[in-house]
Amino acid sequence: MNAILAAGDFDLTEEAPAKINLALHVMGRRADGYHLLDMLVSFARHGDRLAFRTSEHDEFSLSGRFAPLLSADAEAGNNLVLKARDLLRQVLFEIDAPPVHIHLEKNLPIASGIGGGSADAAATLRGLTRLWGAALPEETTKAIALKLGADVPMCLASRPLVARGIGEAIELLPDFPSFSMVLGNPLVGVSTPEVFRRLSRKDNPPLLFPSRMPQGRDEWIETIRSLRNDLEPPARMICGEISTLAGLIGSQHAVVTRMSGSGATCFGIFDTIEQAEAAAALLHRQRPDWYFQATETIAGEA
């Protein structure tokens, strides 16, 4: 999926797939400030990668295209990988959870609406559970994930799903197809709180499917077209590059183009991976200063 880690020998690795919001409907807001959402989510075969090994003391190292953007505050309190390590270790206080070296290969743009930090935290939970030989109940792991952030339980699953509430109510979609896709990001930060603040309304219609769940790729494409991302209009007002980016991806004959999450990443779905790869190459030549990646999404498991 990604380049081979260049940080030495590790005991095991975990993929941290990019999270793609194929649709995101804002349904309301709770008293604690969390927004109520309905989301159709898939995960790309492209993403970050983490590696783990036992060590004499806790270590954290970085590589990858976007590692320099994290290096300065790698040990700061906002590092979800280290938070995941520490929370899991607290739960495992009766089990030996020795010091560990965690290496993060950072291939996804930072704060880009595709769950990079959340995916890394989820991969850390999966990886350290294996490394430490822990046998936690599924609900315990999910509870730890939710403490780390509303997106982390979804990323813990890393399979096609519908998520409701603040993201904790998850329904897996076992027959969901794989899509060929181009991810694009203008490498401009977008403030998620500001995007939500600029929503024209926060009580939008829910995520509705036909009387029966779609079957096969074509039916799902039509369904996805009928859905929306309620965060896209305010995000476009904040960041004009999103409109330009979506237009560029759409110009390559994507069958669906939409923003993911709170932006600024946009995706385009293509008929084949060859078309997606050709589109990504052309877009990279047009805007070499932006991020473009051809990938496929992970299909549901029956």
Side-chain angles (χ1 to χ4, degrees), residues 129-288:
T129 297
R130 292 166 55 203
L131 185 73
W132 288 336
L136 285 175
E138 183 178 351
E139 290 307 312
T140 301
T141 308
K142 288 181 179 178
I144 299 171
L146 190 58
K147 284 185 179 180
L148 292 164
D151 284 354
V152 182
M154 287 178 270
C155 293
L156 196 60
S158 285
R159 289 293 183 269
L161 55 87
V162 171
R164 304 185 192 274
I166 64 171
E168 83 288 3
I170 292 172
E171 175 190 355
L172 296 179
L173 299 173
D175 297 320
F176 199 81
S178 173
F179 294 110
S180 300
M181 186 176 286
V182 170
L183 304 178
N185 188 285
L187 302 183
V188 175
V190 180
S191 167
T192 298
E194 181 65 12
V195 171
F196 276 101
R197 192 184 70 81
R198 293 204 187 193
L199 274 169
S200 59
R201 58 179 293 182
K202 299 180 181 180
D203 57 346
N204 299 289
L207 189 74
L208 295 176
F209 295 118
S211 57
R212 64 172 179 84
M213 288 294 272
Q215 302 294 315
R217 181 185 182 278
D218 291 344
E219 286 190 13
W220 270 111
I221 288 288
E222 290 306 311
T223 298
I224 292 167
R225 282 194 181 118
S226 72
L227 304 174
R228 61 188 192 276
N229 182 347
D230 289 331
L231 301 183
E232 187 164 348
R236 287 187 182 223
M237 288 191 291
I238 296 168
C239 176
E241 289 90 341
I242 293 173
S243 295
T244 303
L245 173 63
L248 286 173
I249 295 174
S251 72
Q252 299 303 306
H253 309 294
V255 297
V256 178
T257 304
R258 184 167 291 151
M259 189 184 82
S260 177
S262 59
T265 298
C266 294
F267 64 86
I269 298 176
F270 290 80
D271 287 330
T272 66
I273 186 59
E274 291 77 17
Q275 291 175 358
E277 289 171 344
L282 179 58
L283 292 166
H284 178 71
R285 289 195 295 271
Q286 291 177 341
R287 290 303 305 254

Side-chain angles (χ1 to χ4, degrees), residues 8-28:
D9 295 326
F10 286 83
D11 296 326
L12 57 89
T13 61
E14 276 285 342
E15 309 293 351
K19 177 180 71 70
I20 313 300
N21 286 105
L22 298 172
L24 189 158
H25 295 196
V26 181
M27 307 284 297

